[in-house]
Amino acid sequence: MKSKIWLSSPHMGGLEKKYVEKAFEENWIAPLGPNVTGFEEDLEVYLGEEVKVTALSSGTAALHLALILLGVERGDEVLCQSLTFAASANPIVYQGATPVFIDSEEETLNISPIFLEEAIKSRINKGKKPKAIIAVHLYGMPYKVDEVHEVAANYDIPIIEDSAEALGSTYNGKKCGTFGDFSILSFNGNKIITTSGGGALVTRSNSEKERAIFLATQARDKAPHYQHSEIGFNYRLSNVCAGIGRGQMRVLDKHIQKRRDMNNFYLDLFEGVKGTKILNEPENSYFCNHWLTILKTEKKSGGVNAEKLRLYLEKENIESRPLWKPMHLQPVFSKVPFYGDMVAETAFKNGLCLPSGSNLGENERNRISTAIKNFLQKK
Ligand SMILES: *Cc1c(COP(=O)(O)O)cnc(C)c1O
């Protein structure tokens, strides 16, 4: 059996172990320490724009804290992009609030500014103004930042920018993760960089960061004894894991270039193949880290059947994956309101995420290319 080609697997740069060893040498085996502080500083320098970064145990925890910091409570409504990973929406429910899902637009597959505005008007008409908007840069592709933020500003609704998949992507030269009232990052195993598991909350001010750390460390009042006036969480990142993150930051831009090379490889591979399209930046103002390369197919126009291609690749021990199943189609959210049409649903039905890891070399590319060419010939 040929070795497995993964969709997106961890890719160590080499320096990670040094930072981890340092944590052991100094006995900082705790959810705080020099690596945590150093990793936060590395991210702040990388993102620029005067943001403050709080390293956390996951991107999901970061979203949860962002909702709390925005005062989202039981009974509130939060608008959320439907085409996304469940982690974007679940923390809304943790807060006892209700998600309202919004369809995507065709160009970036992210939240549609048109359906967003329609939803805001409709919810206000029904007597409840949404408390926040969760917009996602899916697969690293920036959402339509100008349009989406203009709608949000017109109705004075804050945006939580889910940049879990988009570290290193930019829009108009500005880094994703710096646009929202709050932004979040993820360092899970298959993301653009990993700390094995981890995430970060990006805030605009030091006071917001202090508040985030307070909540993430069990909300301890300033007292020598353990006193609590609020409910807190255990959401900080381990100093050992943060060491991995520090090493990963050293190779981030190199790895983004490799992911973009993978995207170019697929652009070449599918060039001229009827009914297929590789998702790409709609304009020069977008720069995508191409965390995952997305194949869009159209069965009708004689194009490729995405599921058949997935199964074919699986036989060759090559992992590919359907797009995220939209939240409004999930059994757990079957009673949740949805504003939109068929864009997310169609992308889900006809799309495929192709192997995109920064650690895929010539050998893997040859195997992928042969398998896809064989499939295209047979069909
Ligand atoms: C991975 C991911 C998250 C959650 O991050 P975790 O660190 O896995 O909790 C949130 N949103 C999106 C879009 C993601 O891909």
Side-chain angles (χ1 to χ4, degrees):
M1 190 68 166
K2 287 177 197 156
S3 61
K4 176 126 183 172
I5 296 179
W6 298 95
L7 189 68
S8 173
S9 64
H11 185 188
M12 294 300 108
L15 288 170
E16 293 84 359
K17 273 189 181 165
K18 286 216 171 77
Y19 290 106
V20 171
E21 267 163 24
K22 203 148 177 287
F24 275 78
E25 277 161 23
E26 296 171 351
N27 205 28
W28 277 108
I29 314 295
L32 79 169
N35 281 339
V36 173
T37 312
F39 185 40
E40 289 175 342
E41 282 165 4
D42 292 346
L43 285 162
E44 283 167 5
V45 169
Y46 186 79
L47 292 173
E49 308 291 335
E50 308 264 308
V51 293
K52 297 291 161 197
V53 174
T54 306
L56 298 169
S57 53
S58 71
T60 310
L63 280 159
H64 191 193
L65 290 185
L67 290 166
I68 295 170
L69 290 169
L70 284 172
V72 172
E73 292 174 351
R74 184 162 300 279
D76 286 338
E77 287 185 353
V78 175
L79 306 178
C80 181
Q81 182 167 326
S82 183
L83 187 63
T84 186
F85 180 44
S88 302
N90 287 342
I92 302 169
V93 182
Y94 301 167
Q95 279 308 95
T98 308
V100 172
F101 292 120
I102 315 288
D103 205 354
S104 294
E105 34 80 12
E106 296 276 0
E107 281 185 306
T108 74
L109 293 184
N110 293 311
I111 193 163
S112 150
I114 294 162
F115 291 127
L116 175 64
E117 180 154 31
E118 186 187 313
I120 294 172
K121 282 183 180 159
S122 161
R123 299 324 286 177
I124 291 174
N125 272 340
K126 287 187 197 303
K128 201 170 258 178
K129 184 176 161 181
K131 220 37 193 294
I133 296 162
I134 299 178
V136 188
H137 306 294
L138 212 59
Y139 306 117
M141 183 63 72
Y143 60 77
K144 296 197 165 190
V145 174
D146 287 345
E147 285 99 320
V148 170
H149 284 250
E150 192 185 320
V151 172
N154 285 343
Y155 295 89
D156 198 22
I157 303 174
I159 291 192
I160 299 173
E161 180 195 8
D162 183 341
S163 199
E165 303 176 0
L167 183 60
S169 296
T170 69
Y171 180 83
N172 274 334
K174 202 175 147 183
K175 289 251 162 55
C176 289
T178 65
F179 292 107
D181 293 87
F182 293 98
S183 308
I184 74 104
L185 302 169
S186 168
F187 315 115
N188 211 326
N190 64 355
K191 297 287 157 77
I192 196 104
I193 64 166
T194 182
T195 57
S196 75
L201 178 68
V202 185
T203 58
R204 312 278 119 207
S205 70
N206 244 331
S207 59
E208 286 164 338
K209 173 170 173 166
E210 278 165 19
R211 175 95 183 128
I213 292 175
F214 169 77
L215 290 169
T217 50
Q218 307 287 24
R220 282 168 53 189
D221 292 343
K222 277 204 171 65
H225 49 276
Y226 279 63
Q227 176 178 295
H228 308 270
S229 311
E230 281 180 73
I231 296 295
F233 304 89
N234 183 7
Y235 276 173
R236 273 298 246 173
L237 182 65
S238 149
N239 191 60
V240 177
C241 296
I244 306 174
R246 294 201 77 185
Q248 289 271 277
M249 284 306 286
R250 306 279 288 269
V251 290
L252 171 57
D253 280 333
K254 213 169 82 190
H255 286 188
I256 289 172
Q257 190 49 54
K258 294 217 162 125
R259 299 230 181 208
R260 288 178 57 82
D261 291 347
M262 283 307 292
N263 186 258
N264 278 323
F265 159 76
Y266 289 116
L267 279 172
D268 287 345
L269 199 56
F270 283 95
E271 197 182 334
V273 179
K274 246 176 86 182
T276 71
K277 193 173 177 293
I278 297 293
L279 185 72
N280 234 295
E281 289 105 335
E283 286 168 41
N284 284 341
S285 45
Y286 294 76
F287 177 88
C288 180
N289 68 10
H290 286 302
W291 171 58
L292 295 183
T293 285
I294 305 307
L295 172 70
K296 289 169 90 178
T297 73
E298 247 187 64
K299 269 180 250 172
K300 272 182 248 144
S301 59
V304 174
N305 183 316
E307 179 57 11
K308 278 193 183 150
L309 174 56
R310 188 185 73 79
L311 292 170
Y312 188 88
L313 292 174
E314 192 171 80
K315 275 198 231 127
E316 299 290 324
N317 215 14
I318 298 169
E319 184 187 28
S320 62
R321 194 187 289 164
L323 271 60
W324 301 121
K325 180 171 182 174
M327 291 304 114
H328 73 280
L329 302 176
Q330 297 285 356
V332 71
F333 292 126
S334 61
K335 294 201 174 67
V336 163
F338 169 69
Y339 290 84
D341 195 359
M342 294 291 290
V343 179
E345 187 166 345
T346 306
F348 165 63
K349 281 193 178 139
N350 298 340
L352 193 65
C353 304
L354 298 168
S356 306
S358 45
N359 48 5
L360 299 178
E362 212 43 47
N363 261 341
E364 287 86 3
R365 274 198 264 223
N366 285 339
R367 272 179 59 198
I368 294 167
S369 155
T370 305
I372 290 179
K373 280 180 182 158
N374 285 342
F375 173 81
L376 291 174
Q377 250 163 25
K378 273 196 202 154
K379 77 164 187 64

